Amino acid sequence: IAFARELAASAATLDELRECMAGFEGCNLKFTAKNMVFADGNPQANVMFVGEAPGRDEDLDGKPFVGRSGQLLDRMLAAIGLDRSSAYISNVIPWRPPGNRAPTPQETEICRPFIERHIELVKPKVLVHLGGASAKTLLNTTEGILRLRGNWRIYSGAAGLEIPAMPTLHPAYLLRTPAHKRLAWRDFLEVKMKLRALS
Ligand code: URA
């Protein structure tokens, strides 16, 4: 983990970070994944969305949120006037866990320096955590996502970086629990208003 942190810190640009991660052999998930999933969208965007880990479709494509969850995410983005040219999207874990199992706490800790550096390099004005894994890992909390969602938090990064962060429900969860879409809708409206206040 110390090595991952040093490696991540050595990356001065997103391209360098991608290369560092592609060469990193400290996470076992890399050896079963077909592709590394780095990010999609516009790194200049005001808002960055961070999910959990790639699934089958993302692993095949090398891009985050391209499967069923991704299609729902795209519709949710469109509902607040965003698309992949006005948002940036990544995950806590860049390699697919076999069979879409949940990443272990150890895998999450190993990969965490990379997403933290990723956020530092992008420096979005607003961060959105898609699901509990992203929220808990990056906001250093053990609270459940149903309690976290809907309330602005501060993401604290290196060198005093502070970014308003909205935890919300993961699109894959919403596909299984469509009755909760109205909760995510509220969270997305919060994000929309925050972004509007910036411009
Ligand atoms: N779920 C995630 O958390 N991330 C993806 O990229 C796809 C599905």
Side-chain angles (χ1 to χ4, degrees):
I1 293 169
F3 177 63
R5 189 159 296 283
E6 253 173 64
L7 189 66
S10 75
T13 65
L14 288 174
D15 283 341
E16 284 180 20
L17 181 63
R18 185 199 288 261
E19 274 178 43
C20 284
M21 289 167 60
F24 178 71
E25 309 227 305
C27 180
N28 58 306
L29 294 176
K30 176 183 185 170
F31 304 104
T32 47
K34 293 198 168 61
N35 284 295
M36 182 175 84
V37 175
F38 185 71
D40 194 21
N42 182 354
Q44 324 281 10
N46 282 337
V47 58
M48 176 169 180
F49 292 79
V50 182
E52 178 173 1
R56 183 176 50 101
D57 299 301
E58 292 77 20
D59 183 45
L60 291 173
D61 234 38
K63 276 197 213 168
F65 286 100
V66 294
R68 283 221 320 138
S69 302
Q71 287 162 20
L72 176 55
L73 176 62
D74 283 336
R75 291 200 298 277
M76 293 162 73
L77 292 177
I80 58 166
L82 296 173
D83 61 20
R84 292 184 189 224
S85 68
S86 50
Y88 190 67
I89 304 173
S90 189
N91 285 303
V92 171
I93 307 271
W95 298 285
R96 180 199 186 196
N100 295 359
R101 66 162 170 78
T104 65
Q106 196 199 7
E107 288 158 354
T108 304
E109 278 313 299
I110 290 171
C111 294
R112 189 223 285 246
F114 296 119
I115 187 64
E116 290 184 349
R117 184 68 182 144
H118 205 147
I119 294 167
E120 262 165 61
L121 290 171
V122 172
K123 273 198 186 50
K125 301 261 175 23
V126 175
L127 202 53
V128 181
H129 298 286
L130 298 170
S134 169
K136 288 181 206 179
T137 304
L138 294 169
L139 299 174
N140 291 312
T141 172
T142 54
E143 251 183 283
I145 189 64
L146 285 166
R147 280 176 161 278
L148 286 168
R149 63 143 287 278
N151 299 301
W152 287 104
R153 299 268 165 152
I154 299 284
Y155 170 80
S156 303
L161 177 69
E162 296 204 326
I163 303 170
M166 175 56 71
T168 190
L169 303 171
H170 193 288
Y173 169 83
L174 296 174
L175 289 171
R176 295 192 302 271
T177 317
H180 281 180
K181 281 184 183 172
R182 63 185 178 83
L183 299 175
W185 170 237
R186 279 194 225 155
D187 305 342
F188 270 60
L189 282 181
E190 282 284 336
V191 172
K192 180 186 184 180
M193 287 189 285
K194 181 74 94 185
L195 290 171
R196 188 185 285 163
L198 288 174
S199 59

